[in-house]
Amino acid sequence: MSDLRAKYLEQIGAAPDAAGLEAVRLAALGKKGEIALKMRELGQMSAEERQAAGPVLNGLKSEIDAALKARKAALEDAALDARLKTEWLDVTLPGRPRPMGTIHPISQVMEELTAIFADMGFAVAEGPQVESDWYNFDALNIAPEHPARQEHDTFFMHRDAGDDRPPHVLRTHTSPVQIRAMQAQGAPIRVIAPGRVYRMDMDQTHTPMFHQVEGLAIDRDISMAQLKWTLEEFCRAFFELDEVELRFRASHFPFTEPSAEVDIRCSWDNGQLKLGEGNDWLEILGSGMVHPNVLRAGGIDPDEWQGFAFGMGIDRIAMLKYGIPDLRAFFESDLRWLRHYGFAALDQPSLAAGLSR
Ligand code: 2NL
């Protein structure tokens, strides 16, 4: 009996893991284990023998049981210790930086100018970027021999061999959107048409795709005076100036008569541009009174209605507002570079955090 006791207590103490311990338990206390066999032998004993051996055997059983439990707890503690030593996490480490996107300056400027014109009663109109040459040129009183139509300025779409219809074009301005709006809505109308336009031009200051916003207001008595007020109000709001001064210079466009190019007062002090003050002028847009032929193309009677129209480059006014000196900002999309030039969308702390590494 004491042999058994010593053997099992030693094996329990030496069991290296849960599986080893279970093997010892089965050998000792299992149905066919050594203690169970001894229990069965009690049946063949005399009453006195049984009275002596029974309690000893039961005591041994309890003792082994307790030793198994204790060893099991000790093994579990050791396993937990080992895990705690290897599986740790330094919660004080800085997080992994994630590349963070932000609204594109052009998109932001489009939202800004849309909001400003919306306050003045202008709705947004949109239309296709691939246009028929009628909508892009004829409807705008641009004659077939006009230089803008020729290969050097316009992207022409493909036509099948033998198809002699004039090819579609990538729109060279957003004016066709306004022709479509006039046809759909009639007069009176107040719309702006912001969007992508395409011209075959590529150098330091030109890209083949750029953005334009055009505006159109038609009513019974719209005049140049309202055009001036609308554009001044827009510039004040967009460039966030208390005072703006605009200069209207007589010009020529096929789609307006009379036509004016519009300059904004500015100063250039040691290479630094300031709008709203100074003795220089910077051209920012073109405008005029809608040509009667263009009203007719839009299905509007020029004897009853008249209106003003204007067009400006969004990329250009975005660069002026945010002091972005060249077009790379829009193509390389380098956020650090944009932030260097103080682009406003990057002032949000959550976005800027993503950039500081
Ligand atoms: C410029 C000049 C301009 C317009 C665009 C227009 C549209 C219709 C009718 C008449 Cl539907 N005019 N648009 C008018 C004058 C000038 O753009 O230099 N843009 C950058």
Side-chain angles (χ1 to χ4, degrees):
M1 225 48 116
S2 64
D3 285 357
L4 273 186
R5 181 178 176 279
K7 177 170 96 179
Y8 285 118
L9 290 184
E10 199 235 286
Q11 283 185 10
I12 288 166
D17 52 26
L21 195 62
E22 176 64 5
V24 179
R25 190 188 68 79
L26 284 172
L29 305 180
K31 267 199 183 112
K32 292 178 182 153
E34 234 174 331
I35 306 290
L37 285 178
K38 292 273 180 222
M39 290 286 197
R40 241 166 275 151
E41 284 171 16
L42 287 176
Q44 277 106 57
M45 290 180 187
S46 66
E48 299 92 79
E49 282 174 323
R50 191 158 47 239
Q51 228 152 44
V56 176
L57 210 49
N58 272 327
L60 178 60
K61 193 182 163 200
S62 310
E63 195 180 350
I64 290 175
D65 212 34
L68 282 165
K69 284 210 177 76
R71 181 62 183 158
K72 185 163 182 252
L75 283 173
E76 280 170 1
D77 278 358
L80 184 60
D81 273 355
R83 278 187 61 191
L84 287 173
K85 281 210 184 78
T86 55
E87 296 177 17
W88 58 278
L89 192 66
D90 184 352
V91 295
T92 68
L93 282 175
R96 293 188 184 89
R98 276 199 285 164
M100 188 81 71
T102 172
I103 188 168
H104 193 279
I106 296 292
S107 303
Q108 179 173 312
V109 165
M110 278 204 204
E111 285 174 14
E112 289 169 2
L113 61 86
T114 298
I116 294 168
F117 282 115
D119 280 351
M120 296 193 270
F122 288 81
V124 171
E126 287 180 309
Q129 299 183 30
V130 176
E131 267 294 4
S132 71
D133 76 332
W134 189 86
Y135 275 107
N136 196 76
F137 294 123
D138 301 77
L140 284 144
N141 198 37
I142 300 173
E145 63 278 7
H146 193 281
R149 288 219 188 191
Q150 307 313 307
E151 308 276 338
H152 65 259
D153 239 15
T154 307
F155 287 106
F156 291 93
M157 306 304 287
H158 179 75
R159 280 267 187 236
D160 286 341
D163 187 341
D164 292 332
R165 290 173 301 168
H168 279 44
V169 300
L170 291 181
R171 69 183 184 198
T172 57
H173 41 200
T174 56
S175 321
V177 176
Q178 288 158 289
I179 301 292
R180 289 172 181 280
M182 282 191 263
Q183 289 177 335
Q185 188 183 321
I189 188 172
R190 282 166 177 66
V191 286
I192 57 163
R196 293 181 169 171
V197 299
Y198 302 84
R199 288 185 202 172
M200 229 186 271
D201 210 348
M202 184 71 191
D203 60 35
Q204 285 279 303
T205 55
H206 295 86
T207 54
M209 188 280 290
F210 58 103
H211 303 80
Q212 198 190 27
V213 58
E214 290 207 4
L216 177 72
I218 293 170
D219 213 319
R220 298 199 182 268
D221 54 4
I222 294 274
S223 72
M224 289 285 271
Q226 287 148 353
L227 170 67
K228 280 193 79 170
W229 180 86
T230 303
L231 293 177
E232 276 168 10
E233 210 48 35
F234 167 75
C235 289
R236 220 193 308 279
F238 180 77
F239 293 114
E240 297 169 1
L241 298 169
D242 293 329
E243 282 309 314
V244 288
E245 198 183 335
L246 299 184
R247 181 174 79 172
F248 284 64
R249 256 183 306 110
S251 182
H252 174 264
F253 303 109
F255 25 87
T256 45
E257 181 58 37
S259 304
E261 282 174 299
V262 180
D263 305 333
I264 186 169
R265 187 181 282 283
C266 71
S267 68
W268 282 106
D269 280 346
N270 45 52
Q272 185 74 33
L273 172 70
K274 271 213 191 89
L275 298 177
E277 58 171 63
N279 294 310
D280 272 326
W281 297 94
L282 193 70
E283 184 185 330
I284 52 167
L285 58 93
S287 66
M289 298 302 291
V290 181
H291 194 287
N293 289 348
V294 178
L295 289 173
R296 261 186 287 267
I300 290 175
D301 181 358
D303 293 328
E304 263 192 74
W305 306 94
Q306 59 187 28
F308 67 68
F310 59 86
M312 66 186 127
I314 294 179
D315 311 70
R316 192 170 149 72
I317 62 167
M319 290 165 82
L320 288 175
K321 178 165 180 177
Y322 292 108
I324 299 167
D326 72 75
L327 286 165
R328 276 181 307 176
F330 300 135
F331 297 105
E332 296 180 359
S333 297
D334 185 327
L335 294 181
R336 282 160 299 186
W337 196 88
L338 287 175
R339 191 165 64 142
H340 177 75
Y341 287 104
F343 185 63
L346 302 177
D347 290 345
Q348 297 167 56
S350 63
L351 297 176
L355 299 172
S356 52
R357 319 184 209 161

